């Protein structure tokens, strides 16, 4: 690795680390806003669209979006999955906790694997299936079904976190078909569509009384949508997939620490085991996928 490449990678590590730390704090912004989950997702789209629109305009990205009719429609479809994924994840926070919803949500890489096998006929190996099984054992343990305090509302929250992960996986699969289009423009298109997609579910009467909650809503749109996405996309261009996979686990780690520090959430021993299984299986799957991709690239270069 050259000195220039090493410097770029270091910059990418810093950018992705900051992005993951920001991701881990979004639950606090959702709670402190005082708004309903779908309403929070709506205002995230509104303020995110304004901030991303200004960024894309300043950078000159809007002069040539590179969209075709097909890719534009695909981006809009991805937006459907993306914004409803946010809404269901935010709803899961209030029914379980920021920590547990985030960890269950981190099963999304396995949905991407399963959808890849179904949609693109990608090979589904025994190793991949094994890690998926380990992860879902972890989900069962995180759910803590042996607890006497378990409730239908809590289980609904777990289900919503799993649904959010599935929706995000669909958005990821669609994003793979949008090559050659700046991700910032894709994100702007999707959050703009989200304003209309979420409008029927907005509780405007509730937001009229949230007071300082508006500052938290603006923060979600500007910090967790515009700034965070810019950092993510910039870091992805500088880092190998294996390093991205490792650093992505800063997100659930920060979410757990923040939840325990701010809201005093306590996690039971079995749930800790479940968290380790989910995160460990996801990391092993991500690293294994990136290593195989690397071997394919190396083989192509040698040819």
């Amino acid at each position: 690795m050259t000195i220039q490449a090493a410097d770029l990678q270091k910059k990418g590590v810093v950018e992705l680390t900051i992005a993951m730390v920001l991701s881990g704090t979004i639950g606090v912004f959702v709670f402190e806003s005082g708004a309903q989950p779908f309403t929070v997702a709506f205002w995230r789209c509104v303020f995110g669209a304004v901030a991303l629109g200004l960024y894309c305009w300043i950078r000159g990205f809007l002069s040539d979006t590179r969209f075709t009719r097909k890719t534009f429609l695909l981006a809009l479809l991805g937006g459907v999955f993306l914004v409803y994924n946010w809404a269901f994840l935010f709803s899961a926070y209030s029914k379980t906790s920021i920590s547990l919803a985030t960890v269950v949500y981190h099963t999304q890489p396995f949905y991407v694997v399963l959808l890849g096998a179904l949609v693109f006929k990608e090979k589904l190996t025994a190793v991949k299936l094994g890690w998926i099984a380990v992860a879902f054992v972890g989900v069962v343990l995180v759910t803590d079904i042996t607890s006497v305090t378990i409730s239908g509302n809590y289980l609904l929250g777990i289900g919503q976190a799993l649904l959010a992960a599935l929706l995000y996986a669909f958005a990821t699969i669609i994003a793979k078909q949008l090559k050659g289009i700046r991700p910032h423009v894709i994100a702007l298109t999707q959050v703009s569509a989200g304003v209309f997609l979420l409008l029927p579910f907005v509780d405007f009467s509730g937001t009229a009384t949230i007071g300082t909650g508006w500052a938290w809503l603006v923060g979600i749109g500007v910090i967790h949508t515009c700034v965070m996405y810019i950092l993510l996309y910039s870091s992805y261009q500088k880092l190998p997939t294996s390093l991205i996979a490792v650093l992505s686990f800063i997100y659930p780690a920060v979410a757990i620490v923040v939840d325990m520090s701010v809201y005093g959430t306590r996690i039971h021993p079995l749930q800790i085991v479940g968290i380790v299984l989910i995160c460990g299986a996801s990391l092993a799957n991500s690293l294994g996928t990136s290593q195989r991709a690397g071997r394919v690239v190396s083989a192509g270069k040698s040819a």
Side-chain angles (χ1 to χ4, degrees):
M1 182 184 297
T2 64
I3 294 176
Q4 184 179 10
D7 289 341
L8 280 175
Q9 182 165 302
K10 287 178 182 177
K11 184 178 180 182
V13 168
V14 172
E15 289 172 336
L16 187 54
T17 299
I18 294 172
M20 291 297 101
V21 170
L22 291 177
S23 296
T25 64
I26 193 170
V28 174
F29 280 69
V30 172
F31 276 141
E32 296 302 316
S33 73
Q36 296 297 317
F38 276 75
T39 302
V40 175
F42 169 79
W43 288 110
R44 179 181 190 179
C45 289
V46 171
F47 295 123
V50 172
L52 277 168
L54 284 172
Y55 176 81
C56 290
W57 176 65
I58 291 169
R59 294 293 304 274
F61 294 163
L62 300 181
S63 60
D64 179 15
T65 63
R66 303 176 185 173
F67 275 128
T68 64
R69 183 175 181 276
K70 178 182 178 181
T71 55
F72 181 71
L73 291 175
L74 276 175
L76 290 179
L77 179 60
V80 174
F81 295 123
L82 182 67
V83 300
Y84 284 119
N85 134 76
W86 290 342
F88 283 114
L89 178 61
F90 295 166
S91 185
Y93 288 158
S94 61
K95 295 180 178 65
T96 56
S97 68
I98 294 171
S99 302
L100 298 185
T102 301
V103 171
V104 171
Y105 181 67
H106 223 68
T107 57
Q108 56 192 250
F110 297 105
Y111 290 121
V112 174
V113 169
L114 292 173
L115 288 173
L118 290 172
V119 177
F120 302 117
K121 308 301 180 183
E122 294 176 355
K123 187 177 181 181
L124 193 59
T125 65
V127 173
K128 286 182 180 179
L129 287 172
W131 287 126
I132 290 172
V134 170
F136 280 97
V137 169
V139 170
V140 172
L141 294 178
V142 163
T143 305
D144 197 17
I145 57 177
T146 61
S147 172
V148 295
T149 60
I150 205 78
S151 68
N153 198 47
Y154 178 87
L155 291 176
L156 176 60
I158 294 293
Q160 287 178 326
L162 287 170
L163 176 58
L166 177 60
L167 292 174
Y168 189 81
F170 275 112
T172 301
I173 289 294
I174 290 173
K176 289 184 176 183
Q177 309 306 305
L178 301 175
K179 296 176 181 178
I181 303 170
R182 292 185 180 93
H184 314 84
V185 175
I186 296 172
L188 173 60
T189 302
Q190 293 179 333
V191 295
S192 298
V195 174
F196 301 98
L197 291 167
L198 294 168
L199 185 59
F201 308 101
V202 180
D203 178 17
F204 286 108
S205 61
T207 53
T209 59
I210 62 174
T212 57
W214 282 107
W216 296 97
L217 291 177
V218 172
I220 292 174
V222 176
I223 299 172
H224 294 95
T225 308
C226 180
V227 175
M228 189 181 77
Y229 275 42
I230 291 170
L231 289 171
L232 278 175
Y233 298 146
S234 179
S235 68
Y236 288 165
Q237 295 172 356
K238 303 179 182 76
L239 300 174
T241 307
S242 58
L243 191 51
I244 292 172
V246 173
L247 292 175
S248 69
F249 283 88
I250 295 174
Y251 168 27
V254 170
I256 292 169
V257 171
V258 168
D259 195 19
M260 295 177 71
S261 302
V262 178
Y263 300 112
T265 301
R266 292 292 174 262
I267 302 174
H268 302 153
L270 273 180
Q271 291 175 314
I272 293 174
V273 174
I275 289 171
V276 171
L277 289 178
I278 293 171
C279 292
S282 181
L283 179 60
N285 175 73
S286 298
L287 290 176
T289 301
S290 65
Q291 287 169 359
R292 282 189 292 274
R295 285 196 294 268
V296 171
V297 171
S298 297
K301 287 181 178 179
S302 63

